[in-house]
Amino acid sequence: MDIKIVKAEQLPDQINTLATLAKKEGYDLIEKLVEEYRTGKNSFSKDNEYLAVAYDGDKLIACGGLNQQWGPDGIEERIGRVRRFYVHPKYRQHGVGKQLLAYLEQLARPHYSALCLHTETKLAASFYQKQNYVFVENHPNYNYFKYLV
């Protein structure tokens, strides 16, 4: 494997391939990423927001985004949110997700003190727990949290 992780300035051409794979697994998060990106609802273009992608050679194998976290009263200062994180099934358990998440955390550190996210799958929950995210019970906007400082 020749893994390369970079910031995406736009949606990669191969994003629909990932969307198809995710859909086959019962996940619509990449379809939502494409729709929100194209409509401008979320194009990871606000201050300190990023979309990162991972390639194996020329093949797109993963993506993940970092947004500002919004609460009931606006932006929650110094909290970022991991969004639309997906790794090609054949590349799981090979460190790609760990590398991609570490890359997002590196981008986040100068701007955020903590990251949050929401997941409903046991597989993803297990992955995030291994990366030192802790379960947060009864929060209306997220269920995993990690301090970066």
Side-chain angles (χ1 to χ4, degrees):
M1 284 190 289
D2 178 26
I3 306 302
K4 177 177 61 176
I5 299 172
V6 296
K7 284 191 278 186
E9 302 301 324
Q10 60 189 19
L11 284 181
D13 292 336
Q14 300 173 42
I15 195 70
N16 291 322
T17 303
L18 279 189
T20 300
L21 283 169
K23 189 71 169 176
K24 284 181 183 175
E25 291 187 272
Y27 306 129
D28 63 355
L29 74 159
I30 305 302
E31 285 181 338
K32 285 182 181 178
L33 164 69
V34 171
E35 177 65 20
E36 291 176 350
Y37 198 96
R38 291 199 174 132
T39 63
K41 181 178 179 183
N42 183 7
S43 56
F44 301 92
S45 57
K46 294 186 174 115
D47 290 341
N48 310 317
E49 291 189 341
Y50 309 96
L51 178 63
V53 292
Y55 292 93
D56 182 3
D58 293 333
K59 180 180 180 182
L60 180 67
I61 59 168
C63 65
L66 181 63
N67 286 127
Q68 300 168 352
Q69 173 61 24
W70 287 77
D73 300 319
I75 295 173
E76 292 187 21
E77 292 296 322
R78 306 281 302 154
I79 299 177
R81 184 179 185 99
V82 176
R83 307 270 325 254
R84 310 297 183 223
F85 197 93
Y86 182 78
V87 177
H88 187 298
K90 292 181 181 176
Y91 288 85
R92 294 179 192 153
Q93 306 298 319
H94 295 284
V96 173
K98 184 177 179 177
Q99 289 175 50
L100 180 59
L101 187 58
Y103 182 81
L104 286 173
E105 290 175 357
Q106 178 185 356
L107 292 172
R109 275 190 177 84
H111 313 288
Y112 304 109
S113 300
L115 293 178
C116 65
L117 60 95
H118 182 83
T119 187
E120 296 177 358
T121 70
K122 289 182 181 181
L123 183 64
S126 175
F127 166 76
Y128 289 115
Q129 288 170 359
K130 288 176 185 171
Q131 310 314 312
N132 298 314
Y133 285 75
V134 295
F135 180 71
V136 177
E137 196 167 354
N138 297 323
H139 194 283
N141 298 320
Y142 53 82
N143 61 357
Y144 282 89
F145 192 87
K146 178 180 181 177
Y147 284 105
L148 297 175
V149 290

